[in-house]
Amino acid sequence: MSSNYIYRTAEKSDFDRILKFLAEHFYHEEPSIRASKIALEEWLPIFGEMTTSSLKLPISTVVTTEDGENIVAVLLNSMWSREEDEERMKHGNGKGDHDTSGYSEALQRFMTIVQKCHDEFWNLAPSDVNLVVYREISSVGKPWQRQGIATKMLSRNMSAARLHNVDGIVSATSSFANQTLLAKNGFQCLKEFPYSGIVSSNGDKLVETDDGSHGMRINFKRIEKSGNGPCEMEPPKSATFQNVATSVSS
């Protein structure tokens, strides 16, 4: 298979193609999504919202085949602001990133964990961190894996983040592969929400992965900015790893 791929900034016109990639690859290949056994029809609106959020600023990446015809990987990023989130929590009655009312119990429980990653991040991050790039989705289609594409997307992500003067990059990392990639690149796990805590009202486990991952991790890496020099990335100075067996059945 050709290793000549095009890495470029995602545009709003890419929306349909990105959603098609997520439906054909991410839905079937991401371990926790696959393990949830939630129908694609339920996930598509959530994927659509994540994609829309990620296309508001030129900080996301699509990777295509050399002819530009097929998307082989995506790194979708949005922006989190401490000030905006504190206002949301104070005046928004706890409104989350996605309205899951009317969806299945399994999807609601799963998305509760995703929302906890957002809501608890600012309490875990250093107090001088106020604006971050959030990795909504990072996915390389199975036929194109093990070619260094995820690593190259991550490097590109660093450059895009610096242009927007952010303090760091955060990820709610669900797969073992992405958890390993980020750890190798200096990200620090601030907290882990075990999948064993995603249970139904009857106490049944709703997510049991097969890739070696045990939970969703909040990973963070600080961006140190010094003049006009190269961007140096460092882990947070005052963060400690937490593993909290949080049940989302209540």
Side-chain angles (χ1 to χ4, degrees):
M1 183 174 294
S2 172
S3 59
N4 295 319
Y5 302 114
I6 297 173
Y7 295 73
R8 64 172 177 81
T9 301
E11 302 174 351
K12 291 182 179 179
S13 59
D14 292 314
F15 179 88
D16 289 341
R17 297 178 67 202
I18 291 173
L19 202 60
K20 182 175 183 289
F21 170 87
L22 297 178
E24 294 181 351
H25 293 283
F26 183 70
Y27 171 75
H28 296 284
E29 297 162 8
E30 202 288 322
S32 65
I33 298 289
R34 184 174 67 241
S36 73
K37 297 181 175 62
I38 299 168
L40 175 61
E41 288 72 22
E42 279 201 275
W43 275 118
L44 278 177
I46 303 297
F47 293 166
E49 291 172 1
M50 291 177 173
T51 302
T52 297
S53 178
S54 299
L55 295 176
K56 291 179 179 178
L57 294 171
I59 54 176
S60 296
T61 297
V62 292
V63 184
T64 70
T65 49
E66 190 173 11
D67 58 11
E69 289 296 318
N70 299 305
I71 291 180
V72 305
V74 297
L75 176 52
L76 304 182
N77 300 305
S78 59
M79 203 81 80
W80 285 356
S81 161
R82 183 189 290 271
E83 181 179 3
E84 291 179 3
D85 283 338
E86 287 178 348
E87 285 296 309
R88 172 178 62 84
M89 295 296 289
K90 184 178 180 180
H91 302 293
N93 299 318
K95 183 179 179 181
D97 298 326
H98 306 280
D99 182 4
T100 59
S101 57
Y103 285 79
S104 67
E105 180 185 39
L107 187 136
Q108 291 183 20
R109 305 299 190 193
F110 189 100
M111 293 306 296
T112 296
I113 289 292
V114 176
Q115 189 63 48
K116 280 180 177 290
C117 289
H118 190 170
D119 293 344
E120 298 190 20
F121 169 72
W122 298 113
N123 290 329
L124 298 168
S127 60
D128 62 335
V129 171
N130 295 296
L131 186 66
V132 296
V133 166
Y134 171 58
R135 291 160 50 98
E136 295 268 2
I137 294 176
S138 177
S139 178
V140 180
K142 191 172 183 179
W144 306 282
Q145 292 176 4
R146 300 186 183 279
Q147 298 184 54
I149 293 175
T151 300
K152 290 179 181 177
M153 288 198 301
L154 178 59
S155 297
R156 201 173 189 278
N157 193 191
M158 304 302 185
S159 299
R162 183 173 182 244
L163 291 175
H164 289 272
N165 199 36
V166 301
D167 300 309
I169 298 178
V170 63
S171 173
T173 319
S174 55
S175 72
F176 181 77
N178 265 322
Q179 290 169 359
T180 301
L181 172 67
L182 296 190
K184 287 181 177 179
N185 283 275
F187 281 73
Q188 182 174 350
C189 179
L190 304 183
K191 187 170 182 177
E192 180 176 88
F193 294 97
Y195 291 133
S196 59
I198 305 179
V199 297
S200 69
S201 55
N202 296 323
D204 298 326
K205 292 182 180 179
L206 296 175
V207 177
E208 294 185 77
T209 59
D210 57 8
D211 72 324
S213 59
H214 301 290
M216 189 173 295
R217 296 181 175 182
I218 306 176
N219 288 311
F220 175 70
K221 190 168 186 178
R222 179 191 288 273
I223 294 181
E224 294 293 348
K225 299 175 285 292
S226 55
N228 295 319
C231 176
E232 295 182 0
M233 305 288 294
E234 295 182 0
K237 298 175 181 177
S238 59
T240 56
F241 171 76
Q242 297 183 36
N243 184 316
V244 182
T246 304
S247 172
V248 295
S249 60
S250 58

